[in-house]
Amino acid sequence: MTDPNDRGKNGPKNGPYPQTISAAYGVAIDAGFGAVAPPIYLSSTYEFAGYDQPRRYDYGRSGNPTRDLLAEALARLEGGAGAVITASGMAALDLLAGRCRPDDLILAPHDCYGGTMRLLKARAERGHCSVRFVDQGDEEAFEAALADRPALVLIETPSNPLMRVVDIEALVAQAHRAGAEVAVDNTFLSPAIQQPISLGADYVIHSTTKYLNGHSDVIGGAVVAADRGPIEELRHWANVVGSAGAPFDSWLTLRGLRSLFPRMEQQQANAMAVANYLERHPAVSAVFYPGLASHSGHAIATRQQRGFGAMLSFEIVGGVPAVRRFIESVEFFTLAESLGGVESLVSHPATMTHADMGEEARGFAGISDSLLRVSVGLEAEQDLIAGLEKGLSACRS
Ligand SMILES: *Cc1c(COP(=O)(O)O)cnc(C)c1O
């Protein structure tokens, strides 16, 4: 395999467009046979060239060509200096959280991903670091929390499941003034729509399980760092703890990544159509989608995103009995957790993704029992709307 980073002396100075990186990074670099699709390297170990002569790769936990290809593609898409590919999104978060020392504070959003909250609380309980959850949309509360001098601020925007949007650039500036590093979980939008490093973030975290792979057949994660130093440290740490992603998963994710841009474009167009349909429906009392002018985050999202993504949530009239009837009757939306695949999914946060947090915390976060979340896929918009109509007309019966 020749080095895909070598664009040759005639290569573009500032690198190709992101769509090109996504579709073709690492294509046709196979020196052995001229394979167009990058080959997969499953080998756990590598032959030394001779006595005391290791080659570029020696052992699969510390490095793998397939995994490195995905890492470099993601780093370029996010505009970072490098990336580490991990076995899951949680492993990516833990790679960052694991660097913290007992006197370090992590400041996380009050409505962050449930698994993230569980991980940070578990680390804090064991004395590995301390953690505080704050409403980052409340400027005064955020500024007050920064007085505690956090080492790391974690941002998630749009949030799950209400799609609250926060201003990354403003929060990063505040956090940097207080001496904190900033990581943004960019899972809900992908670099096709939002690039936190260009807004000042030090790290981007992904659950590649979602849009980056996009086909609901891999669990994976990534940390992208803006600077070279931290990426070396994170790569070292991933080798120490053994949390690197598997080569086959990396290969599948790279395959999924090829169509990231057209998928995102079509899925968010479908989501906009679904949101407009839901907003006018009498059986729906609220729709949470940043693409709607009625959404609290619409102005910020318009500024900091290249689109509004394909995740949305809505409340239906009639409480739990109506939710049950909707779920029994809706078509083309499969009842399942997760998101970001080519197929549309519906979930009920109160009994699924957000069941663990308890009723009181859900109330505080604004997650009612009537709330449904959808991940809008690539199906025909007309089918998706017809499928929702089946569900919503059953609500009233
Ligand atoms: C799914 C998800 C994670 C966790 O990723 P896994 O791949 O499931 O470990 C983290 N953050 C967000 C926003 C997610 O949606």
Side-chain angles (χ1 to χ4, degrees), residues 320-337:
V320 172
V323 166
R324 191 185 288 270
R325 283 196 295 272
F326 173 84
I327 283 178
E328 282 163 3
S329 307
V330 67
E331 288 178 7
F332 301 115
F333 286 82
T334 301
L335 181 65
E337 293 182 359

PDB file of all heavy atoms in Angstrom, residues 320-337:
ATOM      1  N   VAL A 320     -49.828   8.420  26.943  1.00  0.00           N
ATOM      2  CA  VAL A 320     -49.268   7.084  26.697  1.00  0.00           C
ATOM      3  C   VAL A 320     -50.180   6.184  25.839  1.00  0.00           C
ATOM      4  O   VAL A 320     -49.681   5.489  24.950  1.00  0.00           O
ATOM      5  CB  VAL A 320     -48.881   6.404  28.036  1.00  0.00           C
ATOM      6  CG1 VAL A 320     -48.491   4.948  27.834  1.00  0.00           C
ATOM      7  CG2 VAL A 320     -47.738   7.175  28.690  1.00  0.00           C
ATOM      8  N   PRO A 321     -51.514   6.201  26.056  1.00  0.00           N
ATOM      9  CA  PRO A 321     -52.363   5.341  25.196  1.00  0.00           C
ATOM     10  C   PRO A 321     -52.212   5.699  23.712  1.00  0.00           C
ATOM     11  O   PRO A 321     -52.158   4.808  22.857  1.00  0.00           O
ATOM     12  CB  PRO A 321     -53.785   5.623  25.688  1.00  0.00           C
ATOM     13  CG  PRO A 321     -53.612   6.123  27.094  1.00  0.00           C
ATOM     14  CD  PRO A 321     -52.316   6.867  27.112  1.00  0.00           C
ATOM     15  N   ALA A 322     -52.096   6.999  23.416  1.00  0.00           N
ATOM     16  CA  ALA A 322     -51.938   7.424  22.021  1.00  0.00           C
ATOM     17  C   ALA A 322     -50.566   7.005  21.489  1.00  0.00           C
ATOM     18  O   ALA A 322     -50.442   6.573  20.333  1.00  0.00           O
ATOM     19  CB  ALA A 322     -52.116   8.941  21.908  1.00  0.00           C
ATOM     20  N   VAL A 323     -49.546   7.102  22.340  1.00  0.00           N
ATOM     21  CA  VAL A 323     -48.193   6.683  21.942  1.00  0.00           C
ATOM     22  C   VAL A 323     -48.207   5.207  21.555  1.00  0.00           C
ATOM     23  O   VAL A 323     -47.657   4.806  20.530  1.00  0.00           O
ATOM     24  CB  VAL A 323     -47.184   6.926  23.095  1.00  0.00           C
ATOM     25  CG1 VAL A 323     -45.866   6.188  22.835  1.00  0.00           C
ATOM     26  CG2 VAL A 323     -46.921   8.413  23.286  1.00  0.00           C
ATOM     27  N   ARG A 324     -48.885   4.419  22.388  1.00  0.00           N
ATOM     28  CA  ARG A 324     -48.951   2.972  22.144  1.00  0.00           C
ATOM     29  C   ARG A 324     -49.654   2.684  20.806  1.00  0.00           C
ATOM     30  O   ARG A 324     -49.176   1.903  20.004  1.00  0.00           O
ATOM     31  CB  ARG A 324     -49.708   2.317  23.303  1.00  0.00           C
ATOM     32  CG  ARG A 324     -49.628   0.809  23.329  1.00  0.00           C
ATOM     33  CD  ARG A 324     -50.504   0.260  24.445  1.00  0.00           C
ATOM     34  NE  ARG A 324     -49.968   0.500  25.769  1.00  0.00           N
ATOM     35  CZ  ARG A 324     -49.143  -0.355  26.407  1.00  0.00           C
ATOM     36  NH1 ARG A 324     -48.770  -1.464  25.822  1.00  0.00           N
ATOM     37  NH2 ARG A 324     -48.710  -0.088  27.614  1.00  0.00           N
ATOM     38  N   ARG A 325     -50.762   3.370  20.566  1.00  0.00           N
ATOM     39  CA  ARG A 325     -51.500   3.149  19.309  1.00  0.00           C
ATOM     40  C   ARG A 325     -50.676   3.598  18.106  1.00  0.00           C
ATOM     41  O   ARG A 325     -50.663   2.955  17.060  1.00  0.00           O
ATOM     42  CB  ARG A 325     -52.857   3.876  19.338  1.00  0.00           C
ATOM     43  CG  ARG A 325     -53.906   3.155  20.189  1.00  0.00           C
ATOM     44  CD  ARG A 325     -55.307   3.666  19.887  1.00  0.00           C
ATOM     45  NE  ARG A 325     -55.500   5.066  20.260  1.00  0.00           N
ATOM     46  CZ  ARG A 325     -55.899   5.488  21.469  1.00  0.00           C
ATOM     47  NH1 ARG A 325     -56.170   4.605  22.413  1.00  0.00           N
ATOM     48  NH2 ARG A 325     -56.045   6.764  21.728  1.00  0.00           N
ATOM     49  N   PHE A 326     -49.985   4.707  18.293  1.00  0.00           N
ATOM     50  CA  PHE A 326     -49.131   5.207  17.202  1.00  0.00           C
ATOM     51  C   PHE A 326     -48.082   4.162  16.830  1.00  0.00           C
ATOM     52  O   PHE A 326     -47.900   3.823  15.653  1.00  0.00           O
ATOM     53  CB  PHE A 326     -48.448   6.519  17.617  1.00  0.00           C
ATOM     54  CG  PHE A 326     -47.430   7.004  16.629  1.00  0.00           C
ATOM     55  CD1 PHE A 326     -47.804   7.752  15.517  1.00  0.00           C
ATOM     56  CD2 PHE A 326     -46.077   6.691  16.785  1.00  0.00           C
ATOM     57  CE1 PHE A 326     -46.869   8.183  14.589  1.00  0.00           C
ATOM     58  CE2 PHE A 326     -45.133   7.120  15.854  1.00  0.00           C
ATOM     59  CZ  PHE A 326     -45.530   7.862  14.759  1.00  0.00           C
ATOM     60  N   ILE A 327     -47.403   3.638  17.858  1.00  0.00           N
ATOM     61  CA  ILE A 327     -46.311   2.687  17.614  1.00  0.00           C
ATOM     62  C   ILE A 327     -46.822   1.395  16.983  1.00  0.00           C
ATOM     63  O   ILE A 327     -46.147   0.797  16.136  1.00  0.00           O
ATOM     64  CB  ILE A 327     -45.531   2.460  18.934  1.00  0.00           C
ATOM     65  CG1 ILE A 327     -44.640   3.683  19.162  1.00  0.00           C
ATOM     66  CG2 ILE A 327     -44.720   1.169  18.903  1.00  0.00           C
ATOM     67  CD1 ILE A 327     -43.846   3.704  20.399  1.00  0.00           C
ATOM     68  N   GLU A 328     -48.047   1.006  17.361  1.00  0.00           N
ATOM     69  CA  GLU A 328     -48.610  -0.215  16.779  1.00  0.00           C
ATOM     70  C   GLU A 328     -49.014  -0.020  15.310  1.00  0.00           C
ATOM     71  O   GLU A 328     -49.094  -0.988  14.566  1.00  0.00           O
ATOM     72  CB  GLU A 328     -49.833  -0.677  17.596  1.00  0.00           C
ATOM     73  CG  GLU A 328     -49.419  -1.386  18.888  1.00  0.00           C
ATOM     74  CD  GLU A 328     -50.555  -1.490  19.910  1.00  0.00           C
ATOM     75  OE1 GLU A 328     -51.701  -1.056  19.606  1.00  0.00           O
ATOM     76  OE2 GLU A 328     -50.276  -1.981  21.009  1.00  0.00           O
ATOM     77  N   SER A 329     -49.263   1.217  14.919  1.00  0.00           N
ATOM     78  CA  SER A 329     -49.816   1.454  13.586  1.00  0.00           C
ATOM     79  C   SER A 329     -48.873   2.122  12.589  1.00  0.00           C
ATOM     80  O   SER A 329     -49.113   2.055  11.383  1.00  0.00           O
ATOM     81  CB  SER A 329     -51.079   2.318  13.695  1.00  0.00           C
ATOM     82  OG  SER A 329     -51.976   1.733  14.612  1.00  0.00           O
ATOM     83  N   VAL A 330     -47.841   2.780  13.089  1.00  0.00           N
ATOM     84  CA  VAL A 330     -46.945   3.523  12.182  1.00  0.00           C
ATOM     85  C   VAL A 330     -46.260   2.558  11.217  1.00  0.00           C
ATOM     86  O   VAL A 330     -45.977   1.407  11.560  1.00  0.00           O
ATOM     87  CB  VAL A 330     -45.907   4.345  12.992  1.00  0.00           C
ATOM     88  CG1 VAL A 330     -44.922   3.439  13.729  1.00  0.00           C
ATOM     89  CG2 VAL A 330     -45.158   5.324  12.099  1.00  0.00           C
ATOM     90  N   GLU A 331     -46.035   3.016  10.000  1.00  0.00           N
ATOM     91  CA  GLU A 331     -45.327   2.185   9.011  1.00  0.00           C
ATOM     92  C   GLU A 331     -44.064   2.885   8.538  1.00  0.00           C
ATOM     93  O   GLU A 331     -43.980   4.117   8.565  1.00  0.00           O
ATOM     94  CB  GLU A 331     -46.250   1.892   7.812  1.00  0.00           C
ATOM     95  CG  GLU A 331     -47.350   0.911   8.171  1.00  0.00           C
ATOM     96  CD  GLU A 331     -48.308   0.643   7.013  1.00  0.00           C
ATOM     97  OE1 GLU A 331     -48.047   1.120   5.894  1.00  0.00           O
ATOM     98  OE2 GLU A 331     -49.326  -0.040   7.259  1.00  0.00           O
ATOM     99  N   PHE A 332     -43.110   2.099   8.090  1.00  0.00           N
ATOM    100  CA  PHE A 332     -41.814   2.555   7.563  1.00  0.00           C
ATOM    101  C   PHE A 332     -40.869   3.118   8.633  1.00  0.00           C
ATOM    102  O   PHE A 332     -39.748   3.503   8.316  1.00  0.00           O
ATOM    103  CB  PHE A 332     -41.968   3.574   6.425  1.00  0.00           C
ATOM    104  CG  PHE A 332     -42.737   3.030   5.256  1.00  0.00           C
ATOM    105  CD1 PHE A 332     -43.967   3.560   4.911  1.00  0.00           C
ATOM    106  CD2 PHE A 332     -42.238   1.963   4.524  1.00  0.00           C
ATOM    107  CE1 PHE A 332     -44.679   3.046   3.831  1.00  0.00           C
ATOM    108  CE2 PHE A 332     -42.954   1.448   3.444  1.00  0.00           C
ATOM    109  CZ  PHE A 332     -44.176   1.987   3.092  1.00  0.00           C
ATOM    110  N   PHE A 333     -41.312   3.207   9.887  1.00  0.00           N
ATOM    111  CA  PHE A 333     -40.419   3.610  10.982  1.00  0.00           C
ATOM    112  C   PHE A 333     -40.335   2.428  11.948  1.00  0.00           C
ATOM    113  O   PHE A 333     -41.331   2.060  12.572  1.00  0.00           O
ATOM    114  CB  PHE A 333     -40.965   4.834  11.718  1.00  0.00           C
ATOM    115  CG  PHE A 333     -40.830   6.124  10.952  1.00  0.00           C
ATOM    116  CD1 PHE A 333     -41.769   6.445   9.978  1.00  0.00           C
ATOM    117  CD2 PHE A 333     -39.793   7.007  11.200  1.00  0.00           C
ATOM    118  CE1 PHE A 333     -41.668   7.639   9.258  1.00  0.00           C
ATOM    119  CE2 PHE A 333     -39.674   8.194  10.488  1.00  0.00           C
ATOM    120  CZ  PHE A 333     -40.614   8.518   9.520  1.00  0.00           C
ATOM    121  N   THR A 334     -39.180   1.829  12.041  1.00  0.00           N
ATOM    122  CA  THR A 334     -39.000   0.674  12.924  1.00  0.00           C
ATOM    123  C   THR A 334     -38.765   1.138  14.356  1.00  0.00           C
ATOM    124  O   THR A 334     -38.003   2.085  14.592  1.00  0.00           O
ATOM    125  CB  THR A 334     -37.783  -0.155  12.443  1.00  0.00           C
ATOM    126  OG1 THR A 334     -38.032  -0.560  11.098  1.00  0.00           O
ATOM    127  CG2 THR A 334     -37.560  -1.381  13.307  1.00  0.00           C
ATOM    128  N   LEU A 335     -39.434   0.473  15.292  1.00  0.00           N
ATOM    129  CA  LEU A 335     -39.271   0.819  16.708  1.00  0.00           C
ATOM    130  C   LEU A 335     -37.931   0.283  17.192  1.00  0.00           C
ATOM    131  O   LEU A 335     -37.768  -0.918  17.424  1.00  0.00           O
ATOM    132  CB  LEU A 335     -40.420   0.214  17.526  1.00  0.00           C
ATOM    133  CG  LEU A 335     -40.401   0.501  19.036  1.00  0.00           C
ATOM    134  CD1 LEU A 335     -40.592   1.990  19.330  1.00  0.00           C
ATOM    135  CD2 LEU A 335     -41.455  -0.336  19.762  1.00  0.00           C
ATOM    136  N   ALA A 336     -36.955   1.179  17.330  1.00  0.00           N
ATOM    137  CA  ALA A 336     -35.613   0.752  17.732  1.00  0.00           C
ATOM    138  C   ALA A 336     -34.817   1.947  18.217  1.00  0.00           C
ATOM    139  O   ALA A 336     -35.067   3.084  17.812  1.00  0.00           O
ATOM    140  CB  ALA A 336     -34.879   0.101  16.559  1.00  0.00           C
ATOM    141  N   GLU A 337     -33.843   1.676  19.099  1.00  0.00           N
ATOM    142  CA  GLU A 337     -32.895   2.711  19.504  1.00  0.00           C
ATOM    143  C   GLU A 337     -31.901   2.929  18.371  1.00  0.00           C
ATOM    144  O   GLU A 337     -31.968   2.261  17.360  1.00  0.00           O
ATOM    145  CB  GLU A 337     -32.191   2.274  20.796  1.00  0.00           C
ATOM    146  CG  GLU A 337     -33.169   2.228  21.964  1.00  0.00           C
ATOM    147  CD  GLU A 337     -32.526   1.843  23.289  1.00  0.00           C
ATOM    148  OE1 GLU A 337     -31.312   1.597  23.304  1.00  0.00           O
ATOM    149  OE2 GLU A 337     -33.261   1.782  24.282  1.00  0.00           O
TER     150      GLU A 337
END
